[in-house]
Amino acid sequence: MNITVLASVKDVNEKIILNKNVVVIDVLRATSVIVTALANRARQIMPFESIEEAKEHYKANELLAILCGERSAKIVEGFHFGNSPLDFIEDNVSNKIIIQTTSNGTRTIKACEKGRRIYIAALINAKAIADQLIKDNMGTVIVCSGTNDQYSMDDAICAGMIVSLIENKVKISMNDLGWAVKEIYEHNKGDLYSFLAKTCSHFNLLKQNGFEEDLHYCLQTNIYDIVPVYHEGNIRIIDGK
Ligand SMILES: O=C(O)[C@H](CS(=O)(=O)O)OP(=O)(O)O
Ligand SMILES: [Mg+2]
């Protein structure tokens, strides 16, 4: 299997993702929110790049939808929830359409729209994504959303975990960044929290802003066995998984 890992959303272009399966990662915190909401029975997620687009779609679905997202890590004024996955519990999201806009993650999902199949991954569902990619056995691009268009270690360790799980089972060819993130993950998997505290500026920004609980939550691995897929504006779970 051929795998290309991209360092941030700014490396995505149509040529790289065309006819490829794409995996979008934003561990802190957009894709951790998406996986959590779907695991807690949200009907679907609708990601948007801008606050204006999100509000417009909310108006059309007011009875069924909730507005969620952040700017500079803080809840957008007038929204129901920010970007803390711990808010996306069953009582808040069951049967709801989640209209979401965040600084990095939702922008990355939109940038990958031309991919063959677009999967949504975080550490909390990494094994389910790796198993799905092995099953598909297709050329795959793993996109780390990054933070403000820059490489971000939270996303890199998740990409590393996914490729490490795949490489244990099938032969892969991969770009240099793919091998780098695999090594980084394998050397630090015993204590991801301390590793990110040392190396990840966005992790420390969230910590300073009081989101410590989110950090512990997002760094758990494989707590959900679900594979969210983005298709024509909506993210849903495939195969009833
Ligand atoms: O809330 C987050 O974790 C970040 C926000 S920012 O990088 O502090 O602006 O958004 P995300 O899109 O989940 O990376
Ligand atoms: Mg992020």
Side-chain angles (χ1 to χ4, degrees):
M1 186 191 306
N2 182 267
I3 301 175
T4 303
V5 175
L6 302 182
S8 84
V9 60
K10 77 171 188 299
D11 296 331
V12 176
N13 65 57
E14 225 177 291
K15 210 170 126 204
I16 293 182
I17 60 174
L18 203 67
N19 298 319
K20 299 271 177 56
N21 279 351
V22 177
V23 177
V24 175
I25 298 172
D26 188 348
V27 170
L28 301 176
R29 295 167 291 174
T31 60
S32 296
V33 164
I34 293 169
V35 174
T36 303
L38 290 171
N40 282 296
R41 302 179 189 284
R43 187 184 291 244
Q44 76 217 54
I45 318 287
M46 298 178 80
F48 292 98
E49 279 189 67
S50 73
I51 293 171
E52 293 68 36
E53 285 172 291
K55 282 183 174 167
E56 216 171 278
H57 277 77
Y58 175 66
K59 268 192 220 144
N61 295 281
E62 245 177 73
L63 289 178
L64 278 175
I66 51 176
L67 263 175
C68 309
E70 58 62 48
R71 288 297 180 270
S72 304
K74 298 192 176 69
I75 185 169
V76 178
E77 207 187 313
F79 277 28
H80 299 91
F81 297 108
N83 205 22
S84 291
L86 295 169
D87 286 333
F88 290 75
I89 52 169
E90 199 162 334
D91 281 356
N92 291 339
V93 303
S94 176
N95 228 14
K96 298 278 188 198
I97 297 170
I98 312 294
I99 296 183
Q100 184 194 35
T101 179
T102 72
S103 307
N104 307 289
T106 55
R107 197 157 54 91
T108 307
I109 295 167
K110 291 294 182 183
C112 294
E113 273 184 330
K114 292 270 158 61
R116 178 181 169 271
R117 237 174 163 190
I118 301 140
Y119 296 124
I120 307 297
L123 287 167
I124 55 177
N125 72 332
K127 184 175 182 304
I129 295 294
D131 289 345
Q132 182 66 43
L133 295 175
I134 292 168
K135 196 160 123 192
D136 294 348
N137 195 18
M138 292 277 305
T140 301
V141 179
I142 299 180
V143 184
C144 298
S145 295
T147 301
N148 303 328
D149 290 352
Q150 300 292 315
Y151 177 93
S152 196
M153 199 63 93
D154 54 314
D155 300 333
I157 54 168
C158 183
M161 180 175 177
I162 292 169
V163 296
S164 176
L165 289 167
I166 296 172
E167 209 230 354
N168 281 338
K169 294 207 173 143
V170 298
K171 201 169 158 30
I172 57 176
S173 58
M174 196 154 59
N175 65 336
D176 289 9
L177 182 62
W179 293 112
V181 296
K182 177 181 167 297
E183 291 294 319
I184 289 171
Y185 166 73
E186 287 176 354
H187 280 89
N188 296 288
K189 64 183 174 186
D191 188 357
L192 294 177
Y193 189 93
S194 301
F195 176 64
L196 290 186
K198 205 163 57 186
T199 60
C200 180
S201 57
H202 187 50
F203 176 100
N204 286 308
L205 183 123
L206 289 172
K207 200 171 169 180
Q208 281 153 23
N209 279 280
F211 294 115
E212 177 105 37
E213 268 188 273
D214 284 4
L215 299 174
H216 285 288
Y217 177 83
C218 294
L219 294 192
Q220 298 173 99
T221 52
N222 308 328
I223 59 172
Y224 298 117
D225 184 25
I226 62 171
V227 178
V229 178
Y230 174 86
H231 182 64
E232 294 179 351
N234 297 292
I235 303 168
R236 296 190 176 90
I237 298 172
I238 57 163
D239 301 329
K241 258 191 124 184

